[in-house]
Amino acid sequence: MDIVSTIISLISGAVGGNIAGAAMPQKNLGPIVNTIAGLIGGGAGEFILKAFGIISAVTASGGATGGNELDIAQILSSIGIGGVSGGALTAIVTAIKDSMKK
């Protein structure tokens, strides 16, 4: 299930990056850069939270089922982590780009 949750985080990170770009139309980086920043943010967010053990209680142990089956808690946590961290990294990249212009 670990690879599936990573793929879900990457995809939702790309979506989160594009949503963050759409929410800030005056600072939009374009769909390709938003997608790339979201992918990186989604993967990095999941990696960091797993490394610190924040999401290990739900996702690493297999959730409520205790196995490697798809679990709704794993799917929802991967979607949430990927979307939020992808959008956050897109916003950070946008802020860095704007500060370099000045």
Side-chain angles (χ1 to χ4, degrees):
M1 179 58 195
D2 195 35
I3 189 73
V4 174
S5 66
T6 302
I7 292 171
I8 292 171
S9 291
L10 292 172
I11 292 170
S12 60
V15 171
N18 285 306
I19 290 172
M24 305 178 292
Q26 71 280 6
K27 298 181 178 184
N28 195 351
L29 300 172
I32 294 174
V33 178
N34 288 340
T35 302
I36 292 170
L39 280 168
I40 294 169
E46 181 187 22
F47 175 77
I48 290 169
L49 291 177
K50 282 184 179 179
F52 285 124
I54 295 173
I55 60 170
S56 65
V58 175
T59 59
S61 66
T65 59
N68 285 329
E69 305 90 28
L70 285 175
D71 186 13
I72 192 70
Q74 289 177 302
I75 294 169
L76 292 177
S77 67
S78 294
I79 290 171
I81 290 164
V84 170
S85 59
L89 185 63
T90 302
I92 290 168
V93 169
T94 301
I96 291 170
K97 179 186 168 219
D98 288 343
S99 69
M100 290 178 68
K101 276 186 178 180
K102 295 179 183 179

